[in-house]
Amino acid sequence: MNRNAAPFLTLVGIGQRITRLRLWHVPLTSHTAYYMAEGKTCDAVEAVVIAIETDAGLTGWGEVCPIPHYLPAYARGVVPALQELAPVILGGDPVGAEALMAKADAFLPGHVYAKSALDIALWDITGQVAGLPIHALMGGRRQDTLPLYHSITCVEPQEMARIARDAQAQGITQFQAKLGASGDWQTDVERLAKVREAVGPGPLVYGDWNCGATTLDAIRVGRAAAHLDVMLEQPCATLEECAQVRSATSLPMKLDEVAHDTATLLAAHRLGIMDAVALKLSKFGGLSSTRRARDLCLHLGAKMCIECTWGSDIVTAAALHLGAATPPSRVLNVCDLSGYVSPRNAPDAPTRAAGRIAPPDGPGLGITVDQERLGTPDLILD
């Protein structure tokens, strides 16, 4: 199917059934090693790419890419989960993703990260059947381009400042500075100070510990950096600890790892610590469930970073569609995940421009996956 073809009206989706699922494990290499608190490093990851095929000749693409030691998810767990779900997937109706995903949830509770790729692929097919981009099916495009942030690895403060200046020269106005890798709170204060000095007043700067700080260290950093106009991201491993830091520093807070379903979003709101939140597709289980989380956040008043844990062009495109269908005043930022890694798996996928990025315009995901680059599938279910 020509992804760039003009939208069309068709009944091709009526009675359509899934006939085959193909899966690849795709190694991705980050453009730089990402050093985080508690000795965590992310420089090479494995993405899982799936293709769902129908008896009408359509193919829907999905992707999930867990980061090691980040969340209870791992790339090699996707295959057994999908094999378990084969009786639901094969022969299922791919049009209208939430109906089939409800059956998948009833058949195999949990394992949301593995289901995330499946859900994205179903939305891709649904969009192709409708002849519309996914953002049109999610309520319509609310802005032409979306603001990006740039993530800065936790290294020496001066080097982090250089990275921030380089990103600012490309139009970036939001900067996430990783903290905690050196294990001393004073250097984290210096990291935030140097990044703020490098980008000047106005741009958003926030320090991210990825759950790796004690309340004591996070509070000391927050108090020492309060004059810098910064936000704190996920300092500690629990909502209650994050609430302690928020109360003691009075600094705005963005949540990530501990916000992963509606219950944790509601709990965070009650604690007053959800000024901003990262909605990542694989944390919630795909576009369907993340859209529901998005709607709850609209009600609760939080600004949102709409993205995923990691990955390449497929998952980036999916997140951009949801971001584009969200009120601009509530989109803190998105992330061009595929811009941080190689290889790219879709040559026509969007790239950053002047600190912003646009969602694809074609039907479904609106990208063309390079199947030759993927090679021979590691799994075929039919």
Side-chain angles (χ1 to χ4, degrees):
M1 175 180 177
N2 181 2
R3 290 281 193 172
N4 296 315
F8 58 91
L9 297 177
T10 178
L11 295 179
V12 69
I14 303 301
Q16 190 164 176
R17 290 291 179 262
I18 295 171
T19 56
R20 187 167 70 155
L21 181 150
R22 292 177 291 153
L23 179 148
W24 297 261
H25 295 100
V26 181
L28 300 176
T29 302
S30 175
H31 67 92
T32 187
Y34 272 84
Y35 300 107
M36 296 171 276
E38 295 188 315
K40 297 176 183 177
T41 302
C42 182
D43 53 3
V45 293
E46 186 173 73
V48 178
V49 171
I50 70 168
I52 298 288
E53 300 173 18
T54 78
D55 55 6
L58 298 180
T59 300
W61 293 91
E63 180 185 14
V64 63
C65 185
I67 298 177
H69 320 300
Y70 176 73
L71 289 170
Y74 66 108
R76 294 286 164 156
V78 177
V79 164
L82 293 180
Q83 288 174 319
E84 185 73 13
L85 285 169
V88 174
I89 298 170
L90 298 175
D93 184 349
V95 180
E98 288 164 301
L100 188 59
M101 292 308 298
K103 293 179 180 179
D105 288 337
F107 191 86
L108 178 66
H111 305 277
V112 295
Y113 71 96
K115 294 173 182 172
S116 179
L118 173 62
D119 181 79
I120 292 169
L122 296 176
W123 274 100
D124 189 17
I125 291 173
T126 301
Q128 292 177 53
V129 168
L132 295 169
I134 290 173
H135 59 71
L137 303 178
M138 292 195 160
R141 187 165 178 169
R142 305 295 294 271
Q143 54 185 322
D144 291 334
T145 61
L146 298 153
L148 291 164
Y149 74 91
H150 189 80
S151 185
I152 305 172
T153 182
C154 190
V155 289
E156 291 303 310
Q158 291 286 5
E159 176 62 9
M160 294 178 72
R162 182 198 65 77
I163 295 170
R165 283 192 296 270
D166 288 349
Q168 189 178 42
Q170 300 173 24
I172 296 290
T173 60
Q174 301 187 40
F175 304 86
Q176 179 198 67
K178 296 294 184 183
L179 303 177
S182 56
D184 62 295
W185 69 272
Q186 297 97 327
T187 305
D188 284 337
V189 175
E190 186 180 358
R191 289 181 172 109
L192 290 172
K194 291 296 184 184
V195 170
R196 169 55 72 199
E197 179 184 6
V199 302
L204 178 64
V205 173
Y206 49 105
D208 179 17
W209 282 276
N210 293 107
C211 298
T214 62
T215 55
L216 176 60
D217 285 348
I219 289 169
R220 296 178 85 179
V221 171
R223 286 179 171 176
H227 66 290
L228 298 173
D229 179 25
V230 295
M231 179 169 68
L232 305 182
E233 178 176 357
Q234 197 62 65
C236 306
T238 69
L239 291 170
E240 292 74 16
E241 289 172 309
C242 291
Q244 285 181 255
V245 175
R246 177 71 166 84
S247 176
T249 63
S250 297
L251 289 175
M253 185 166 292
K254 175 188 171 190
L255 295 182
D256 183 359
E257 286 91 334
V258 297
H260 52 78
D261 57 19
T262 53
T264 50
L265 291 173
L266 289 168
H269 176 69
R270 286 193 295 268
L271 290 169
I273 54 175
M274 205 167 68
D275 301 294
V277 61
L279 300 185
K280 296 184 174 178
L281 302 183
S282 63
K283 284 197 304 181
F284 290 86
L287 281 166
S288 299
S289 52
T290 308
R291 179 174 64 165
R292 293 192 289 271
R294 186 277 311 268
D295 291 344
L296 178 59
C297 288
L298 291 176
H299 173 71
L300 297 177
K303 297 198 78 163
M304 291 163 273
C305 169
I306 299 176
E307 55 172 352
C308 201
T309 48
W310 208 251
S312 189
D313 296 306
I314 299 169
V315 73
T316 295
L320 294 181
H321 282 292
L322 180 57
T326 301
S329 63
R330 303 298 286 282
V331 177
L332 180 72
N333 50 44
V334 296
C335 185
D336 56 335
L337 292 163
S338 53
Y340 287 80
V341 299
S342 61
R344 304 288 296 265
N345 56 38
D348 57 354
T351 57
R352 65 171 61 182
R356 300 180 71 87
I357 193 166
D361 289 319
L365 284 172
I367 59 174
T368 306
V369 176
D370 185 347
Q371 297 191 53
E372 289 188 9
R373 176 171 290 172
L374 293 178
T376 303
D378 297 314
L379 173 72
I380 296 177
L381 297 175
D382 54 17

